[in-house]
Amino acid sequence: MERPRIEATSVSVSTDRPRELARFYADLLGVAVGAEEGPGEGEPADAGWAQLRPVEGRLRMTLNLEWDPVYRPPTWPSAPGAQQPQAHLDLWVEDLDEAERWAVRLGARRAQDQPQETVRVMLDPHGHPFCLFT
């Protein structure tokens, strides 16, 4: 059988406040929130979803932020018995210090564990790890 055409097009991130987190990443990357939807009937005000769409030179994929009613922030680095990170975003930057200051200004924080000199592990406002790298 010949392999069918399959393309990876997006990454989905779970959180308990997807529209809020979408605004963080939109501000961090300098893009607009491309689409969003509020809560469904009977869901809390923070439910719903949002999406950031590719923008040349800023975002190469679609980033979906999805509501998870039982979301718990992951532990970085991983620890036995703790919520494990399932994935993280890698963001190329020209200047690590400048990018870190920008991310912190928007609500991120530097992770305590920093395993590489050319990478800054950051935690977004909802606790997801992401890496700034040169």
Side-chain angles (χ1 to χ4, degrees), residues 74-79 83 85 88 111-115 121-123 127 129 131:
T75 300
W76 173 260
S78 297
Q83 179 66 36
H88 69 268
Q112 187 172 349
D113 188 55
Q114 297 293 320
V121 180
M122 305 294 293
L123 301 174
C131 292

Side-chain angles (χ1 to χ4, degrees), residues 65-99:
L65 295 299
E66 301 178 338
W67 180 60
D68 181 343
V70 294
Y71 170 75
R72 287 186 338 201
T75 300
W76 173 260
S78 297
Q83 179 66 36
Q84 304 291 311
Q86 298 300 308
H88 69 268
L89 299 177
D90 288 331
L91 307 175
W92 177 86
V93 301
E94 284 184 330
D95 184 305
L96 278 174
D97 294 331
E98 184 179 6

Side-chain angles (χ1 to χ4, degrees), residues 37-58:
E37 188 174 294
E41 189 174 329
E43 294 177 337
D46 288 330
W49 62 271
Q51 183 180 74
L52 306 182
R53 296 181 177 148
V55 174
E56 177 115 12
R58 295 176 189 242

Side-chain angles (χ1 to χ4, degrees), residues 6 11 27 35 40 43-44 46 56 60 70 73 91 104 111 118 120:
I6 300 171
V11 171
D27 290 344
E43 294 177 337
D46 288 330
E56 177 115 12
R60 294 181 183 182
V70 294
L91 307 175
V104 168
T118 59
R120 288 287 154 71

